[in-house]
Amino acid sequence: MLSVPPSLAWAHPLVAEWFVQRFATPTEPQEQGWPHILAGRTTLISAPTGSGKTLAAFLACIDRLVRKALAGDLADRTEVLYVSPLKALGNDIQKNLEVPLGEILAMAGERGLLMPEIRTAVRTGDTLMHERRAMLKRPAHILVTTPESLYILLTADKSRAIVHDVVTVIVDEIHAVGDDNRGAHLTL
């Protein structure tokens, strides 16, 4: 059995075990950020690239969704909205969402736990119309978007329904959008 650091005591055993297998111990930004994130406070984590800031935010959300999935309470609604500039999306989705969710789902299966898939989707200006319609019919639990696409989501009646049940908003790379039209979209 892996030893779980005290700073991860809040996490579901599957999530904590996945994290320890992957990273051994949390980084300082993660340890300092989690108590604030878990308390539902607006949290700004400023640290060097590669220090686990994005995963700090995502892990708390993944934990909440894993608990709901295992309890049979995972509804077809978007609960997490991740906003980031387009250039950062691909790496962040793969590293901080797809890999953890896939590996945690596999761990649940290995332990005989029935856990439905936690769905993610990307909504950008390049998202095809049929994909946008599919998001309306069966929303992802975690929606990844850009400031510009979020602005459009919020200003169109049908797409606004996608973000109606969002509990957590993660804004990444805020420094990259703060001083241009993307920052204006995000502010609005």
Side-chain angles (χ1 to χ4, degrees):
M1 185 73 177
L2 295 173
S3 176
V4 175
S7 59
L8 266 175
W10 55 269
H12 185 280
L14 277 176
V15 175
E17 183 180 336
W18 171 83
F19 186 92
V20 172
Q21 284 179 354
R22 273 300 208 143
F23 303 103
T25 60
T27 64
E28 184 179 355
Q30 291 167 338
E31 287 182 332
Q32 290 185 16
W34 283 329
H36 301 284
I37 293 167
L38 294 168
R41 292 191 286 269
T42 299
T43 305
L44 174 65
I45 300 176
S46 178
T49 299
S51 60
K53 299 179 299 286
T54 304
L55 185 58
F58 274 133
L59 197 67
C61 298
I62 289 170
D63 183 76
R64 184 178 69 238
L65 294 170
V66 164
R67 289 174 186 274
K68 286 183 176 188
L70 290 170
D73 296 330
L74 188 63
D76 279 341
R77 65 176 179 228
T78 301
E79 293 192 28
V80 180
L81 181 65
Y82 173 72
V83 184
S84 184
L86 194 56
K87 64 182 179 186
L89 287 180
N91 183 50
D92 286 341
I93 295 164
Q94 175 67 27
K95 181 175 142 191
N96 294 306
L97 276 179
E98 291 176 359
V99 168
L101 290 172
E103 291 177 355
I104 291 168
L105 182 63
M107 287 172 63
E110 291 166 5
R111 286 159 182 75
L113 299 171
L114 182 60
M115 187 174 105
E117 179 184 20
I118 297 169
R119 295 185 309 278
T120 64
V122 177
R123 170 72 188 262
T124 68
D126 295 334
T127 304
L128 301 173
M129 187 55 72
H130 76 275
E131 293 170 324
R132 293 177 188 186
R133 280 193 294 269
M135 285 181 205
L136 290 170
K137 290 180 183 176
R138 190 167 184 232
H141 302 107
I142 303 171
L143 179 62
V144 177
T145 192
T146 62
E148 301 90 339
S149 291
L150 174 59
Y151 178 80
I152 292 167
L153 275 171
L154 294 174
T155 56
D157 284 336
K158 286 185 180 178
S159 61
R160 190 171 31 245
I162 294 173
V163 295
H164 182 266
D165 295 312
V166 167
V167 176
T168 302
V169 177
I170 301 168
V171 180
D172 205 356
E173 303 286 337
I174 198 164
H175 64 279
V177 299
D179 65 349
D180 59 19
N181 69 332
R182 293 178 299 168
H185 281 115
L186 186 58
T187 302
L188 290 172

